[in-house]
């Protein structure tokens, strides 16, 4: 009788141990299942390939030759940008950037002083939140030109209503009574130094 009671006791212990092990395993499995969903929740949002306003490094530039008004020059502009013409002004735009080309007759060549005294006050009255004007004489492949840099607010986006703070670089080229103003603009802090250099250095009289 003593042997039977001992065997029965061992069997009972083994059954209890098996039940505990089974519960432990199922509990472990539950934790494992919930743990497998954590990485999906922690995946970061995709980043943009280019910061807003940055012109891509692989942007192609093509020669623009005006066909109306004063046609005695060429300048490279980004390929594929939307073009609008109004009077003697042509504008190429893409997203937050623009290239504006304006022509005019002028009896004398512009100087740093004339731009400060005449152009800056005009722009102050036209450009929203106009600020930080700086005028200098700079070299370009077409010759020495007057450069005016400044900042201002963009027009409100017709869809989003968003206003962007823009940086402007206005190069004034002059030859034999003809003036061409080349204005390059994009968001402040956009890294467009190289593209804008390509455009401003590409200007050539013909």
């Amino acid at each position: 009788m003593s042997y039977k009671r001992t065997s029965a006791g061992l069997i009972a212990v083994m059954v209890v141990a098996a039940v505990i092990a089974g519960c432990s395993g199922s509990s472990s499995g539950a934790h494992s299942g919930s743990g497998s969903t954590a990485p999906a929740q922690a995946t970061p949002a995709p980043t943009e390939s280019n910061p807003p306003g940055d012109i891509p490094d692989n942007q192609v530039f093509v020669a623009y030759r005006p066909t109306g008004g004063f046609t005695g020059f060429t300048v490279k502009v980004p390929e594929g940008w939307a073009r609008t013409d109004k009077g003697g002004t042509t504008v190429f735009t893409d997203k937050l950037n623009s290239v504006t080309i304006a022509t005019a007759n002028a009896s004398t060549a512009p100087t740093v002083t004339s731009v400060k005294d005449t152009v800056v006050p005009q722009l102050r009255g036209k450009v929203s939140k106009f600020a930080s004007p700086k005028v200098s004489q700079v070299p370009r492949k077409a010759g020495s030109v007057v450069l005016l840099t400044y900042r201002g607010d963009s027009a409100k986006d017709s869809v989003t209503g968003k206003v962007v703070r823009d940086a402007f670089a206005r190069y004034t080229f002059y030859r034999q009574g003809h003036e061409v103003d080349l204005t390059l603009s994009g968001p402040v802090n956009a890294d467009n130094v190289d593209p804008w250099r390509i455009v401003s250095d590409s200007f050539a009289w013909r």
Side-chain angles (χ1 to χ4, degrees):
M1 292 294 293
S2 176
Y3 172 77
K4 289 182 179 180
R5 284 197 298 270
T6 302
S7 298
L10 288 173
I11 292 172
V13 171
M14 291 174 65
V15 170
V16 172
V19 170
I20 293 173
C23 293
S24 176
S26 62
S27 175
S28 176
H31 287 302
S32 176
S34 64
S36 65
T37 61
Q41 296 173 348
T43 301
T47 58
E48 296 184 31
S49 58
N50 293 296
D54 276 16
I55 298 173
D57 292 338
N58 61 351
Q59 175 66 56
V60 176
F61 295 83
V62 295
Y64 162 70
R65 297 179 176 83
T67 56
F70 177 61
T71 60
F73 68 93
T74 62
V75 62
K76 287 184 177 180
V77 297
E79 184 179 42
W81 285 23
R83 172 181 169 179
T84 57
D85 295 285
K86 186 176 181 179
T89 302
T90 299
V91 183
F92 296 89
T93 57
D94 181 70
K95 300 180 179 69
L96 303 176
N97 299 298
S98 69
V99 175
T100 303
I101 305 163
T103 61
N105 294 324
S107 57
T108 59
T111 63
V112 170
T113 300
S114 69
V115 170
K116 284 181 178 179
D117 293 345
T118 305
V119 178
V120 169
Q122 291 175 348
L123 292 174
R124 196 182 297 279
K126 295 179 180 178
V127 179
S128 177
K129 307 292 179 61
F130 178 89
S132 308
K134 295 180 181 179
V135 187
S136 60
Q137 198 89 17
V138 298
R140 282 298 180 266
K141 289 184 178 179
S144 182
V145 299
V146 178
L147 169 63
L148 165 61
T149 60
Y150 59 95
R151 294 186 176 187
D153 284 355
S154 69
K156 184 181 293 186
D157 187 279
S158 59
V159 177
T160 65
K162 185 178 181 179
V163 175
V164 177
R165 189 64 174 168
D166 283 337
F168 297 80
R170 180 183 185 271
Y171 296 86
T172 300
F173 299 84
Y174 176 86
R175 190 175 75 166
Q176 299 175 354
H178 296 286
E179 180 178 309
V180 179
D181 297 316
L182 175 65
T183 302
L184 314 173
S185 67
V188 171
N189 295 328
D191 185 14
N192 290 333
V193 174
D194 291 339
W196 288 159
R197 182 77 187 200
I198 290 172
V199 174
S200 61
D201 252 349
S202 72
F203 183 93
W205 299 103
R206 65 187 183 108

